[in-house]
Amino acid sequence: MQQVYVGKGRALDPEKYFIVIMNQIGNGLSSSSHTQNTSNFPNVQIGDDVRAQHHLLTEKFAINSLALVVGGSMGAQQSYEWAVRYPGMVKRAAPIAGTAKTTPYNTIFTQAIIDSINSDPAWQGGRYAVSIDVQLGLQRLAKLFTLMGWSAEFFNKERWRALGFSSMDEFITDFMIAYFAPMDPNNLLCMAKKWQQADVSNGRGDNLQAVLSGIKAKVFVLSIESDLLFPPADCEAEHKMIPGSEHHVLQTTDGHFAIFGTDAAFVEQVDGHLKTLLVM
Amino acid sequence: MQQVYVGKGRALDPEKYFIVIMNQIGNGLSSSSHTQNTSNFPNVQIGDDVRAQHHLLTEKFAINSLALVVGGSMGAQQSYEWAVRYPGMVKRAAPIAGTAKTTPYNTIFTQAIIDSINSDPAWQGGRYAVSIDVQLGLQRLAKLFTLMGWSAEFFNKERWRALGFSSMDEFITDFMIAYFAPMDPNNLLCMAKKWQQADVSNGRGDNLQAVLSGIKAKVFVLSIESDLLFPPADCEAEHKMIPGSEHHVLQTTDGHFAIFGTDAAFVEQVDGHLKTLLVM
């Protein structure tokens, strides 16, 4: 995230702003089944991430006002949660390629992710010896993200060439499968379940309209034209519930994973919108 | 197909036309590993289907001119093959939600379908005793088609209610999983491989542009707006290679599986285009 979105002259300019980048709980860097060496890591919610981040910002850094909360995918889920949970603290929010409440379609996708791991007999209910034991499950997971994380056009236009690969098979094997292969299966399950359960209206009356209409921050909803997981229509529906918000659709053929910075033109669009938002 | 697309007053009106509906090779009704009781059924190509159909039409029915060749998905692949292979015989063709050459993205999807079956240890290289032994593989396949066969909007707007289900879980279990559960895994593999290898330029110089530009039939390329497997852009690219062809994008939220007739408004659009084509 830092390399893609932060820099001098960028919207997120460390010479102008005190920028804090968080790792999410369960991802193997923050507290997770991997770091705690347990197959019995608790079921974590997006709200747990945001509460922990709030502790850090207020107690460690004594920050009580945030110029901007921004994040992509599960970071977008956190951005929405921040704006809902701490309305007096968040001046602006920019959820990118994510929703405040997980859609039915993403419930199906995250369940397929969960099943790809726990259908591997080597997973053993989470009590595998080393993560590589679950390599077949991890490969299935990588292939699901290959199908849904990019877009048809990404493959049909051979956009993987721009990432330095000479064939689609090489890209799938040496990038997608290789990317997930060293990850811890229980960590991935923890994050997939957190994604699946994400819903800012949970515990707040289950009324999404009412919860989103209470947001005080200036919100730019940023969706991705070719995103198979968070299609613009889903983001548009939530934008309409947030007073004074704007919805901008980012143009790229790279689908959801454009958030990783594979398309320079996409990153420029994000930068432009964040600059506009930051002077509002 | 007959129930959805054929009828008095429809474009495909049996009082006006002699209509022949074919089952494809490998599907369990035509010749297939299931009907031949073999795990060693040959690798079949779309061209094999079309040649067999040609034999039937010319030798059994003495038909030497076809007013229209029409089909959806793998039927679209056959329609393109017909127009290319027998240019003097096919007056009109209407490939619906399919391509003349399988796209890279569909190569990935079909490989995921293939892997969902053959990664099940119970498949045993095709030598399972009964198909239900491979139920875990069949369930994974059903879930892949759940993700890619419909669309995000289909689930987010709860379109499954129109199919008579009261919850998404019920729809997935009682429709999608139940639909594929009785199918023969080797049949499904045969068809998935045929889909994966589909390419009208194969054996004809591997030059798609040259092959499609030689089509003599009047072609209506019909794609589906929300189709994740055959996005309109892919169909548009092929339409541009076919002289005098038209490309019409069908509006529905039901994705690829709209071809099964789940959306009456979609079926009406198809009917309208076929009627227009048939008087050209």
Side-chain angles (χ1 to χ4, degrees):
Chain A
M1 290 297 107
Q2 188 179 348
Q3 288 140 337
V4 175
Y5 294 104
V6 176
K8 192 179 169 182
R10 311 284 301 277
L12 308 181
D13 187 337
E15 299 193 359
K16 286 176 71 179
Y17 299 105
F18 183 77
I19 300 170
V20 186
I21 302 178
M22 311 279 196
N23 279 293
Q24 66 166 313
I25 299 170
N27 80 340
L29 294 166
S30 285
S31 295
S32 53
S33 60
H34 180 66
T35 59
Q36 308 302 309
N37 201 21
T38 174
S39 65
N40 218 357
F41 194 73
N43 182 29
V44 184
Q45 307 286 324
I46 292 290
D48 296 316
D49 281 281
V50 171
R51 285 196 306 130
Q53 293 164 13
H54 183 262
H55 277 299
L56 177 73
L57 294 180
T58 54
E59 292 167 22
K60 170 93 178 166
F61 296 125
I63 294 170
N64 290 300
S65 177
L66 298 173
L68 173 65
V69 178
V70 56
S73 199
M74 293 184 71
Q77 296 175 332
Q78 292 170 39
S79 303
Y80 279 116
E81 179 73 22
W82 260 104
V84 165
R85 187 176 283 263
Y86 304 111
M89 191 168 168
V90 180
K91 287 188 180 162
R92 299 171 195 84
I96 307 170
T99 50
K101 176 176 178 171
T102 290
T103 60
Y105 189 64
N106 279 348
T107 304
I108 299 174
F109 177 70
T110 49
Q111 192 58 47
I113 292 296
I114 292 165
D115 290 346
S116 69
I117 296 290
N118 66 22
S119 68
D120 186 341
W123 178 61
Q124 296 190 67
R127 292 177 300 278
Y128 49 86
V130 288
S131 60
I132 195 71
D133 291 349
V134 195
Q135 59 185 301
L136 289 178
L138 289 165
Q139 284 170 19
R140 276 202 291 269
L141 180 145
K143 287 177 177 180
L144 270 172
F145 272 111
T146 303
L147 263 180
M148 302 297 298
W150 307 98
S151 71
E153 214 176 346
F154 175 87
F155 291 102
N156 296 342
K157 292 198 168 166
E158 304 190 346
R159 278 276 306 151
W160 38 261
R161 290 195 189 278
L163 281 75
F165 296 91
S166 59
S167 77
M168 187 171 82
D169 286 347
E170 189 189 66
F171 169 76
I172 294 172
T173 303
D174 293 352
F175 187 84
M176 293 306 295
I177 292 176
Y179 178 77
F180 287 103
M183 291 194 188
D184 182 84
N186 287 337
N187 288 352
L188 290 163
L189 286 176
C190 175
M191 290 186 287
K193 288 176 188 168
K194 200 203 297 184
W195 173 356
Q196 188 174 60
Q197 296 161 6
D199 178 2
V200 293
S201 73
N202 190 5
R204 297 180 184 112
D206 292 322
N207 184 334
L208 187 66
Q209 170 84 54
V211 170
L212 290 182
S213 71
I215 288 180
K216 304 297 177 206
K218 178 72 183 175
V219 177
F220 269 24
V221 174
L222 302 178
S223 67
I224 298 174
E225 177 195 21
S226 52
D227 196 327
L228 296 173
L229 297 170
F230 301 94
D234 295 341
C235 300
E236 174 75 8
E238 293 187 342
H239 141 66
K240 285 184 175 166
M241 301 180 194
I242 305 170
S245 67
E246 296 181 19
H247 177 207
H248 300 283
V249 181
L250 307 162
Q251 308 298 311
T252 177
T253 62
D254 287 4
H256 188 64
F257 285 162
I259 58 172
F260 294 120
T262 49
D263 178 356
F266 167 85
V267 178
E268 260 181 48
Q269 292 169 60
V270 173
D271 223 43
H273 289 302
L274 296 184
K275 280 180 177 169
T276 304
L277 176 59
L278 278 164
V279 295
M280 277 180 151
Chain B
M1 291 297 106
Q2 188 180 345
Q3 287 141 337
V4 175
Y5 294 105
V6 176
K8 191 178 171 184
R10 311 284 302 276
L12 307 182
D13 186 338
E15 299 194 0
K16 287 175 71 179
Y17 299 105
F18 183 78
I19 299 170
V20 186
I21 301 177
M22 310 279 195
N23 279 293
Q24 66 167 312
I25 298 170
N27 80 341
L29 295 166
S30 283
S31 295
S32 52
S33 59
H34 179 67
T35 58
Q36 308 302 310
N37 201 19
T38 174
S39 64
N40 219 0
F41 194 71
N43 182 30
V44 184
Q45 308 286 323
I46 291 290
D48 296 316
D49 281 282
V50 171
R51 283 196 306 130
Q53 293 163 13
H54 183 263
H55 276 300
L56 177 73
L57 295 181
T58 56
E59 293 167 22
K60 170 92 178 165
F61 295 124
I63 294 171
N64 290 299
S65 176
L66 298 173
L68 172 65
V69 179
V70 57
S73 199
M74 294 185 71
Q77 295 175 333
Q78 293 170 37
S79 302
Y80 279 117
E81 179 73 22
W82 260 104
V84 165
R85 188 177 282 263
Y86 304 110
M89 191 167 167
V90 179
K91 288 190 179 161
R92 301 172 194 83
I96 307 171
T99 51
K101 177 176 178 171
T102 289
T103 61
Y105 188 64
N106 278 349
T107 305
I108 298 173
F109 176 70
T110 47
Q111 191 58 48
I113 291 296
I114 293 165
D115 291 347
S116 70
I117 297 290
N118 66 20
S119 69
D120 186 339
W123 178 62
Q124 297 190 67
R127 291 178 299 279
Y128 48 86
V130 289
S131 61
I132 196 71
D133 290 349
V134 196
Q135 60 184 300
L136 289 178
L138 289 166
Q139 283 171 19
R140 278 201 290 269
L141 180 146
K143 286 177 178 180
L144 271 171
F145 273 112
T146 303
L147 263 179
M148 303 297 298
W150 305 98
S151 71
E153 214 176 345
F154 175 87
F155 291 103
N156 297 342
K157 291 197 169 166
E158 303 190 345
R159 279 277 305 151
W160 37 262
R161 289 194 190 280
L163 280 75
F165 297 91
S166 58
S167 77
M168 188 172 81
D169 285 347
E170 188 189 67
F171 169 74
I172 294 172
T173 303
D174 293 351
F175 187 83
M176 295 304 297
I177 292 177
Y179 179 77
F180 288 103
M183 291 196 187
D184 182 84
N186 287 338
N187 287 351
L188 289 163
L189 286 175
C190 175
M191 291 186 285
K193 288 176 187 168
K194 200 202 298 183
W195 172 356
Q196 189 174 60
Q197 296 161 8
D199 177 2
V200 292
S201 73
N202 189 5
R204 298 181 183 114
D206 291 322
N207 185 334
L208 188 66
Q209 169 84 55
V211 171
L212 290 182
S213 72
I215 288 179
K216 304 297 177 207
K218 177 71 182 176
V219 178
F220 269 23
V221 175
L222 302 178
S223 67
I224 298 174
E225 177 194 21
S226 52
D227 196 326
L228 297 173
L229 297 170
F230 301 94
D234 295 340
C235 299
E236 174 74 10
E238 293 187 340
H239 141 66
K240 285 183 175 167
M241 301 180 195
I242 305 169
S245 67
E246 297 182 21
H247 176 207
H248 299 283
V249 182
L250 308 162
Q251 309 299 311
T252 176
T253 62
D254 286 4
H256 187 65
F257 285 161
I259 57 173
F260 293 119
T262 50
D263 178 356
F266 167 85
V267 178
E268 260 181 49
Q269 292 168 61
V270 172
D271 222 43
H273 290 302
L274 295 184
K275 280 180 177 169
T276 305
L277 176 59
L278 277 165
V279 294
M280 278 182 151

